[in-house]
């Protein structure tokens, strides 16, 4: 009779089995009620990255079905953006697709218009490379006017103002004991964060930089030696291009884009000199030589480059100390030097900071032509450049956004971070700085970035403004998808952080150990959950 109190119908079933079944059903029902109360209602905006909804990557066949015979998208690119956001891009067509995602080619352009644009951007890139040559030539001339120090020793005027290098190899502090410029100090700080816990890289050794005091010579530079008259005309041409055409090309894709003065390549406006360019060049060359080789399997054509071609490329950009590298890595390093030097001239406010090479590597692996790779990188850096400002305003804003997302989504976790004085989310600094490049595999990185770029392309082109378009995209596009993904990384480990970690250092170690353990599509699915439920509150 005791079993009757559990269920009125228990007389028809064995008393020993009835209570467990009934209690299990009640427990399951209560779990469903709790789940429905805690999981936000996405409504019809279902995640394009959920396991059930996610589709295959944009294929070669589908890609060409989206284009008319004239090479224009049939619907202005809406289906293209939707497809890339739901599954990324097939590796076989990335070289064709990425320039659209990164704003090099307008979504409404035809084959003929893109051909003309290709010619223009090649000329602009070559002008920037000539400007690099001129800056190095200028500094080389200045170096001939050596100054004499108090001991009567000849010291190059390009370096005696910035650093006093030590000879001791054993003294670790010698690497940072020089009186460095603000830019060098920032680079050293970033280098520590990027390479912490990694066996592949060592901290930037400023003694290595000292060993390369000789300015790079461009005797084999592809543009050849130019007379003073032609150099002057090239400078005028470059300044004109930097002052108008390049800016106009970017602004035509995004009318709201601020015409930041650095587009004009005006070094003096930011108190930059040829000496700054030489400093950037040295750091670029160090980072290029020690670049990771994980891109090789994704770029078989570049991986099979001949030694002769690799050496010729290295000589053309003055690359040194590459004897230990394979030909494909020498060639990759040379391309990296050329593109990053050109960007330092293009955007002297930012110049070069460590971490930018991480962002460029996937682009070089996919895009064969240097000029097209450069403009893809410019499109990428249009937003990412704020990560590398010396005042760190951009990176601090993003860390603050990650903190707000966590606080709105999980107040209990946020309060635990407050207790550890980690509520500023500095422990995800590296994730934000290089856009999860160190936490994801190379293939995952490209998929993540493609989805992120598709969101940015949708916003840049005005796609997703109406409710109908948002429904077709299945999610509101956002410029800050990366930040929601970073927050999702932290939230996925909330239990571990709350129960086991008692200091920010432990959380930093956990974040640095994520490499190779993340499911990029699950991460995007969780990020979408955060976007749909919180984007109006952040």
């Amino acid at each position: 009779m005791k079993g009757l109190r559990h269920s009125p119908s228990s007389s028809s079933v064995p008393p020993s089995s009835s209570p467990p079944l009934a209690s299990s059903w009640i427990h399951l029902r209560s779990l469903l009620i709790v789940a429905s109360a805690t999981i936000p209602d996405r409504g019809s905006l279902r995640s394009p990255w959920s396991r059930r909804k996610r589709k295959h990557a944009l294929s070669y066949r589908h890609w060409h079905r989206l284009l008319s015979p004239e090479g224009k998208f049939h619907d202005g690119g809406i289906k293209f953006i939707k497809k890339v956001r739901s599954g990324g891009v097939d590796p076989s067509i990335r070289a064709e697709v990425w320039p659209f995602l990164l704003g090099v080619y307008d979504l409404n352009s035809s084959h003929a218009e893109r051909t003309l644009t290709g010619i223009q951007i090649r000329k602009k890139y070559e002008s920037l490379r000539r400007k690099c040559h001129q800056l190095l030539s200028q500094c080389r001339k200045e170096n001939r006017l050596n100054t004499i120090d108090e001991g009567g020793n000849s010291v190059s005027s390009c370096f005696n103002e910035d650093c006093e290098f030590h000879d001791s190899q054993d003294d670790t502090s010698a690497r940072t004991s020089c009186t460095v410029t603000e830019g060098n100090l920032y680079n050293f700080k970033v280098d520590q964060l990027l390479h912490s816990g990694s066996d592949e890289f060592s901290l930037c050794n400023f003694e290595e930089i000292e060993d390369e005091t000789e300015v790079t010579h461009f005797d084999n530079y592809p543009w050849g030696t130019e007379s003073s008259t032609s150099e002057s005309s090239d400078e005028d041409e470059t300044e004109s291009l930097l002052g108008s055409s390049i800016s106009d090309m970017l602004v035509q894709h995004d009318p709201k884009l601020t015409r930041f003065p650095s587009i004009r390549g005006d070094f003096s406006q930011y108190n930059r000199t040829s000496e700054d360019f030489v400093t950037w060049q040295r750091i670029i060359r160090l980072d290029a030589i020690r670049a990771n080789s994980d891109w090789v399997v994704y770029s078989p054509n570049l991986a099979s480059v001949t030694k002769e071609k690799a050496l010729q490329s290295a000589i053309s950009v003055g690359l040194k100390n590459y004897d230990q590298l394979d030909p494909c890595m020498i060639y990759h390093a040379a391309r990296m030097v050329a593109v990053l030097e050109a960007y330092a001239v293009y955007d002297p406010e930012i110049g070069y900071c460590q971490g930018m090479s991480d962002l460029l590597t996937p682009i070089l692996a996919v895009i064969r032509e240097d000029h097209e790779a450069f403009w893809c990188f410019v499109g990428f850096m249009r937003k990412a450049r704020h990560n590398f400002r010396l005042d760190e305003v951009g990176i601090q804003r993003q860390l603050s956004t990650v903190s707000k997302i966590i606080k709105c989504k999980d107040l209990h976790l946020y309060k635990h971070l407050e207790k550890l004085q980690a509520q500023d989310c500095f422990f995800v600094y590296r994730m934000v700085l290089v856009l999860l490049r160190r936490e994801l595999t190379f293939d995952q990185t490209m998929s993540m970035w493609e989805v992120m770029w598709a969101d940015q392309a949708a916003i840049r082109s005005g796609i997703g403004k109406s409710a109908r378009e948002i429904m077709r995209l299945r999610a509101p596009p956002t410029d800050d998808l990366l930040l929601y993904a970073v927050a999702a990384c932290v939230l996925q480990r909330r239990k571990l952080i709350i129960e086991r970690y008692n200091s920010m250092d432990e959380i930093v170690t956990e974040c640095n150990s994520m490499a190779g353990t993340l499911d990029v599509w699950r991460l995007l699915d969780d990020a979408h959950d955060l976007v749909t439920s919180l984007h109006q509150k952040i």
Side-chain angles (χ1 to χ4, degrees):
M1 297 298 294
K2 289 183 179 180
L4 294 176
R5 65 183 180 184
H6 295 285
S7 172
S9 61
S10 60
S11 59
S12 61
V13 294
S16 59
S17 61
S18 177
L21 288 173
S23 61
S24 297
W25 167 248
I26 293 171
H27 179 64
L28 177 61
R29 185 178 180 184
S30 64
L31 287 176
L32 291 174
I33 293 173
V34 171
S36 63
T38 55
I39 297 176
D41 182 14
R42 300 181 184 183
S44 57
L45 294 178
R46 295 187 176 181
S47 167
W49 308 294
S50 65
R51 190 177 298 277
R52 192 161 61 92
K53 286 289 183 180
R54 185 168 65 85
K55 299 179 181 179
H56 297 293
L58 177 66
S59 65
Y60 175 88
R61 185 177 180 182
H62 193 173
W63 163 245
H64 287 282
R65 284 208 310 264
L66 295 172
L67 300 172
S68 69
E70 294 78 24
K72 285 191 172 184
F73 287 107
H74 294 294
D75 60 354
I78 295 177
K79 290 182 180 178
F80 163 63
I81 295 295
K82 178 181 175 181
K83 184 64 177 176
V84 175
R85 294 180 80 239
S86 67
V89 180
D90 187 88
S92 64
I93 57 171
R94 277 175 170 153
E96 292 182 66
V97 173
W98 281 16
F100 287 91
L101 293 176
L102 292 168
V104 178
Y105 301 131
D106 194 283
L107 289 177
N108 293 312
S109 62
S110 64
H111 280 311
E113 291 169 337
R114 292 194 291 275
T115 299
L116 180 60
T117 299
I119 295 172
Q120 293 173 342
I121 63 176
R122 180 189 288 272
K123 290 181 179 179
K124 292 168 184 175
Y125 174 72
E126 290 175 354
S127 294
L128 288 168
R129 290 299 303 151
R130 283 194 292 271
K131 183 70 174 180
C132 294
H133 184 200
Q134 292 159 9
L135 284 168
L136 291 169
S137 298
Q138 178 182 345
C139 194
R140 186 164 63 243
K141 293 175 182 177
E142 292 173 356
N143 280 345
R144 293 170 186 168
L145 302 176
N146 292 335
T147 60
I148 306 298
D149 65 11
E150 294 179 359
N153 298 317
S154 179
V155 181
S156 171
S157 61
C158 275
F159 309 104
N160 67 334
E161 295 177 1
D162 292 336
C163 288
E164 179 182 350
F165 292 96
H166 294 253
D167 294 329
S168 173
Q169 293 282 343
D170 298 327
D171 185 7
T172 306
S173 65
R175 298 185 180 184
T176 54
S177 60
C178 59
T179 306
V180 294
T181 62
E182 184 182 11
N184 283 343
L185 184 60
Y186 175 82
N187 279 316
F188 183 78
K189 175 183 177 182
V190 171
D191 197 46
Q192 284 181 309
L193 288 162
L194 287 176
H195 304 147
S196 60
S198 173
D199 295 332
E200 299 177 29
F201 303 102
S202 60
L203 295 180
C204 179
N205 190 338
F206 286 96
E207 291 176 353
E208 291 180 23
I209 299 178
E210 181 194 20
D211 293 336
E212 298 182 9
T213 53
E214 181 182 355
V215 178
T216 299
H217 293 272
F218 280 72
D219 297 333
N220 294 301
Y221 197 75
W223 323 121
T225 304
E226 303 175 34
S227 65
S228 58
T229 303
S230 61
E231 285 182 2
S232 177
S233 62
D234 285 333
E235 286 185 10
D236 294 340
E237 176 192 3
T238 303
E239 293 300 330
S240 175
L241 289 170
L242 291 171
S244 56
S245 302
I246 294 175
S247 178
D248 292 341
M249 186 188 75
L250 289 176
V251 173
Q252 72 180 356
H253 298 312
D254 185 0
K256 296 181 180 180
L257 178 66
T258 302
R259 296 185 182 220
F260 48 91
S262 56
I263 285 182
R264 299 183 176 88
D266 185 359
F267 271 44
S268 61
Q269 182 161 351
Y270 299 101
N271 295 320
R272 303 295 196 185
T273 65
S274 58
E275 298 173 16
D276 292 305
F277 181 77
V278 172
T279 300
W280 294 332
Q281 186 216 34
R282 288 198 181 87
I283 304 172
I284 288 170
R285 284 156 62 185
L286 288 172
D287 285 352
I289 289 296
R290 66 183 186 179
N292 200 307
S293 61
D294 56 356
W295 61 271
V296 175
V297 294
Y298 298 96
S299 187
N301 293 323
L302 293 180
S304 61
V305 67
T306 64
K307 186 174 182 179
E308 181 181 359
K309 183 177 182 180
L311 294 177
Q312 184 178 5
S313 299
I315 292 172
S316 70
V317 296
L319 194 64
K320 297 181 180 181
N321 303 325
Y322 51 77
D323 295 339
Q324 77 281 9
L325 300 180
D326 294 331
C328 65
M329 293 303 298
I330 297 173
Y331 184 69
H332 176 78
R335 294 185 70 203
M336 183 175 287
V337 169
V339 171
L340 290 174
E341 283 182 356
Y343 187 82
V345 173
Y346 174 81
D347 186 358
E349 182 184 13
I350 301 300
Y352 177 76
C353 293
Q354 287 177 309
M356 289 166 62
S357 59
D358 287 84
L359 306 186
L360 177 60
T361 291
I363 294 175
L364 291 181
V366 169
I367 308 296
R368 296 185 185 181
E369 296 291 334
D370 283 5
H371 72 279
E372 197 170 43
F374 171 80
W375 289 109
C376 283
F377 185 63
V378 168
F380 191 3
M381 288 293 291
R382 178 161 42 191
K383 181 171 177 63
R385 69 186 293 272
H386 299 292
N387 292 7
F388 303 98
R389 293 176 59 92
L390 294 182
D391 57 17
E392 297 192 337
V393 170
I395 201 78
Q396 288 175 5
R397 182 200 69 80
Q398 294 179 86
L399 294 178
S400 176
T401 300
V402 173
S403 178
K404 290 178 183 177
I405 294 171
I406 294 174
K407 184 177 182 180
C408 290
K409 182 65 177 178
D410 193 330
L411 186 58
H412 182 46
L413 173 60
Y414 181 80
K415 287 184 176 180
H416 181 71
L417 294 176
E418 271 189 324
K419 180 181 176 182
L420 304 182
Q421 295 184 337
Q423 72 273 15
D424 60 359
C425 290
F426 189 78
F427 53 87
V428 298
Y429 186 103
R430 189 179 74 175
M431 292 185 186
V432 174
L433 183 72
V434 290
L435 291 81
L436 291 170
R437 174 68 184 88
R438 297 294 177 87
E439 285 67 39
L440 299 174
T441 66
F442 195 84
D443 190 44
Q444 287 177 328
T445 297
M446 291 192 284
S447 296
M448 169 63 106
W449 288 0
E450 285 163 352
V451 174
M452 181 182 70
W453 294 339
D455 258 21
Q456 293 171 1
I459 294 172
R460 191 168 59 244
S461 302
I463 298 173
K465 288 184 177 180
S466 68
R468 181 180 178 182
E469 287 174 340
I470 291 176
M471 294 290 289
R472 292 176 69 180
L473 293 172
R474 293 206 195 101
T478 172
D479 260 333
D480 291 326
L481 180 61
L482 171 82
L483 304 183
Y484 287 95
V486 170
C489 281
V490 179
L491 290 165
Q492 286 177 359
R493 287 158 174 76
R494 69 174 303 278
K495 184 176 180 180
L496 190 65
I497 293 172
I498 292 173
E499 294 181 356
R500 293 181 55 183
Y501 295 151
N502 297 307
S503 70
M504 190 175 76
D505 289 342
E506 291 178 321
I507 304 177
V508 170
T509 301
E510 173 64 26
C511 290
N512 288 344
S513 66
M514 290 181 186
T517 66
L518 296 172
D519 180 338
V520 68
W521 297 110
R522 182 193 167 198
L523 188 63
L524 283 167
D525 190 32
D526 289 349
H528 172 269
D529 178 13
L530 296 173
V531 171
T532 54
S533 60
L534 300 177
H535 74 281
Q536 292 181 340
K537 301 177 183 179
I538 303 301

